[in-house]
Amino acid sequence: MLAMLYGLVQIVVGAICFFGAADAAMVTVIDDPVIWARVMGVVLAVSGVFLVITGFVGARGANRPSKLMPFIVLATIFTFVSLFTLAMIIGESTVPVWPNILQSVVGFVAIIFASRAKKEADAR
């Protein structure tokens, strides 16, 4: 449920970035801020859709732990992407790293608990 909510927030923020990209034209730190804002908007929206799908699959698997394998795979992909993004931005002084650390930890914990629930369901 949390992943679906976070995914919806990312979709909304991505849409704001994409459609409000013209307002980013005043930013002089980036070479082409309008293109950067649109690209970030698309990335956020795609990430949000992925999170909504992951949350839906996880919610479905919560009622039937034997069907948690798709959630485990999607959560693993999400966690690796978060870790990769964290590795890319860790040296940047202007980009906060705490969202990626939080996403990585939450994804890792979700993988652990879903794997345990699946093992218990398979053992029955």
Side-chain angles (χ1 to χ4, degrees), residues 72-114:
I72 294 169
V73 170
L74 291 173
T76 303
I77 292 169
F78 171 74
T79 303
F80 278 120
V81 168
S82 294
L83 288 171
F84 178 73
T85 305
L86 179 64
M88 289 185 63
I89 65 173
I90 202 119
E92 298 289 327
S93 61
T94 59
V95 180
V97 296
W98 67 267
N100 290 92
I101 292 172
L102 181 63
Q103 288 177 0
S104 300
V105 169
V106 169
F108 187 69
V109 169
I111 293 166
I112 289 173
F113 282 117

Side-chain angles (χ1 to χ4, degrees), residues 13-55:
V13 171
I16 291 170
C17 285
F18 186 81
F19 293 112
D23 295 334
M26 294 176 281
V27 177
T28 58
V29 179
I30 302 169
D31 288 338
D32 195 346
V34 174
I35 292 176
W36 183 85
R38 286 198 174 133
V39 168
M40 290 309 297
V42 170
V43 168
L44 279 172
V46 169
S47 175
V49 169
F50 182 78
L51 273 174
V52 169
I53 292 169
T54 302

